[in-house]
Amino acid sequence: MTRLGHSGGQPVVLIPGTFDNRRLYLWPDGGGLAAVLAQAGFEVWVVERRGVGGVEPVAEVRTGWEEALRHDLPAVQRLVAKTTAAPAFWVGHSFGGVLVARAVAETLDRDQVAGLILVSAAVEVALLTNPIVRTVLSSRRWGTVFPARALRLGPEDESSAALADAIDWAGAERRHSCISAMLGAVAEVPILAATSPLDLIAPPGSCRRLARACGSRDLRVQSLSRRNGFAINHTHASPLLHPRAAEDVFPFLRDWLITRSATQNALTATEPADTAPRRHRLEFTVDLDADIDTVFDLLTDRWADLWPVRQHRARDGLVPAIPNGRGSVRAQRALGIWPIREQITAHQRPHLIEYRTISGPVRRHRGRLLLTTTSATTRLDYRIEFDTPFWIPGALLTAALRHTWSRYSLPHLHTLCTQRSGFAATLSRGQCRR
């Protein structure tokens, strides 16, 4: 086990998958998901299974997934519980995700589980159910250890016992849905399942079936694709190993954990500081005839109605009840040509909304909407800052944005405020007559 982060912080236990070790979460040259979570204030535990990570297996002691399920993960949970009373989050990649899902359902104390993150995790793995592959993997010629490193399947050789267990689990699921039937006990545990569109080992459909079998009341299945606002279309291991994952996947996983943490106030969603001034800046101040909560709701849920371009939500926010809140991504096309994606970075009711562009021709674009209450109205201070590449005339774009806001967006916002206030007044009068 490798431990890092804040002692006494809410624990997060990270489990690698088959043919892998701690380098999946803790990159040898620095960085990785474990480092990001530790920086945010979590107490991080990276757990490697028996015979993995350079530790020699004990003679005559079986080193399979069953032993990890029945003995090792419960022992890890007891050890972590000695350091803090806070329940732990569990994160598993690939078959490590199958392991933690089964452990929560069968062998762990669920009262001490804060949530699960399953990354590219599926039990219906075609490689494990293919007769030819199954015969090769289970061949006696390998002895007690399968040479995965020599075959370039991963950085760790795998014990024959672990491969046998994986084949048995996959076969049982395919024939009788045995694994899915066990996972229904996880209904009270929040679950985030991250799937990858280019994953050929654990296809998105198989990952979704595993996650939905848990029956969690707080379940989110998120595709890590460009269409949903991520930097690339991810593959099986790239959500945890690709350098671009540090820009979007890691913050997304970290923020999901923070929003469901019992020690949320002690955690920080830190991003690299970007204090350099932008070349172009717009500021607008307007008083609106509506209360501050009404204006905040309109700026949250009716933002697309304020601009003469088609927009849609490409990714839901971190809190299920606020799909357009912090973490959400909205997509549009500038002039119907260039795709632009904006992410909500702050959503603090009823005063502040901030966003930034994460893709598109305009660079380092950020917007800030600040609401304050005056004597009879709500004041909106809207600031936009951005840079432009050499081939986009920044002064022309600035003028276009100023014109659009003044002639289109602001009149629409006034109309929406009037409609909402009129509806509220009519509803109030109806209640008084009753």
Side-chain angles (χ1 to χ4, degrees), residues 277-285 303 307 330 342 353 355-357 362-370 381-387 397-398 400-406 409:
R278 273 65 168 169
R279 288 187 298 170
H280 307 286
R281 179 177 179 136
L282 291 165
E283 292 187 351
F284 308 100
T285 298
W303 183 257
W307 300 94
R330 54 196 182 211
E342 298 174 340
I353 299 174
Y355 64 88
R356 66 183 178 96
T357 57
V362 178
R363 299 171 180 171
R364 301 172 65 236
H365 176 118
R366 62 188 179 192
R368 186 173 190 265
L369 299 108
L370 179 65
D381 292 297
Y382 181 24
R383 185 179 67 204
I384 306 172
E385 299 175 307
F386 61 91
D387 288 333
L397 179 58
T398 300
L401 285 172
R402 187 184 301 278
H403 178 83
T404 303
W405 172 259
S406 301
S409 304

Side-chain angles (χ1 to χ4, degrees), residues 12 50 106 116 120 131 151 165 202 254 276 288 306 342 368 392 409 419:
V12 181
R50 306 183 189 200
E106 300 177 52
L116 296 181
S120 303
L151 298 175
D165 288 344
R254 175 204 63 201
L288 300 165
L306 302 182
E342 298 174 340
R368 186 173 190 265
I392 294 181
S409 304
Q419 291 174 347

Side-chain angles (χ1 to χ4, degrees), residues 161-175:
L163 287 179
D165 288 344
I167 291 171
D168 288 345
W169 291 10
E173 176 66 16
R174 183 171 186 178
R175 290 190 300 270

Side-chain angles (χ1 to χ4, degrees), residues 134-406:
R134 188 170 64 244
T135 300
V136 171
L137 292 177
S138 58
S139 173
R140 293 183 178 180
R141 65 174 296 179
W142 310 122
T144 59
V145 178
F146 181 78
R149 284 181 294 181
L151 298 175
R152 296 187 176 181
L153 296 177
E156 285 288 337
D157 293 336
E158 194 67 65
S159 73
S160 298
L163 287 179
D165 288 344
I167 291 171
D168 288 345
W169 291 10
E173 176 66 16
R174 183 171 186 178
R175 290 190 300 270
H176 308 295
S177 299
C178 294
I179 307 299
S180 295
M182 300 174 184
L183 297 181
V186 191
E188 300 299 327
V189 177
I191 296 177
L192 170 62
T195 69
S196 299
L198 301 183
D199 193 338
L200 301 180
I201 298 175
S206 298
C207 296
R208 285 193 294 269
R209 283 191 289 274
L210 177 70
R212 290 170 180 167
C214 298
S216 172
R217 295 178 176 84
D218 181 5
L219 169 64
R220 176 167 182 171
V221 180
Q222 180 63 61
S223 174
L224 305 179
S225 64
R226 293 184 65 184
R227 182 178 182 180
N228 295 112
F230 293 90
I232 64 172
N233 289 322
H234 282 278
T235 60
H236 186 64
S238 66
L240 297 172
L241 290 177
H242 197 284
R244 298 293 296 275
E247 303 172 9
D248 50 20
V249 177
F250 293 177
F252 171 66
L253 301 180
R254 175 204 63 201
D255 292 347
W256 186 89
L257 292 170
I258 289 176
T259 58
R260 286 153 180 81
S261 173
T263 58
Q264 183 173 350
N265 293 336
L267 300 169
T268 57
T270 55
E271 302 288 354
D274 183 11
T275 58
R278 273 65 168 169
R279 288 187 298 170
H280 307 286
R281 179 177 179 136
L282 291 165
E283 292 187 351
F284 308 100
T285 298
V286 59
D287 290 329
L288 300 165
D289 293 325
D291 64 86
I292 191 169
D293 287 301
T294 295
V295 176
F296 188 88
D297 288 339
L298 290 173
L299 294 175
T300 297
D301 297 325
R302 302 293 297 274
W303 183 257
D305 297 334
L306 302 182
W307 300 94
V309 293
R310 296 182 62 181
Q311 296 188 31
H312 68 276
R313 188 172 65 245
R315 189 197 308 172
D316 287 351
L318 295 163
V319 179
I322 313 175
N324 292 312
R326 181 168 173 266
S328 66
V329 174
R330 54 196 182 211
Q332 57 185 280
R333 284 187 178 271
L335 302 177
I337 302 174
W338 294 297
I340 297 176
R341 288 180 172 81
E342 298 174 340
Q343 184 174 36
I344 304 299
T345 57
H347 193 264
Q348 301 171 12
R349 170 176 286 277
H351 295 291
L352 179 66
I353 299 174
E354 293 181 339
Y355 64 88
R356 66 183 178 96
T357 57
I358 55 176
S359 66
V362 178
R363 299 171 180 171
R364 301 172 65 236
H365 176 118
R366 62 188 179 192
R368 186 173 190 265
L369 299 108
L370 179 65
L371 299 175
T372 54
T373 300
T374 61
S375 58
T377 61
T378 297
R379 176 160 295 174
L380 167 62
D381 292 297
Y382 181 24
R383 185 179 67 204
I384 306 172
E385 299 175 307
F386 61 91
D387 288 333
T388 55
F390 72 92
W391 49 272
I392 294 181
L396 181 61
L397 179 58
T398 300
L401 285 172
R402 187 184 301 278
H403 178 83
T404 303
W405 172 259
S406 301

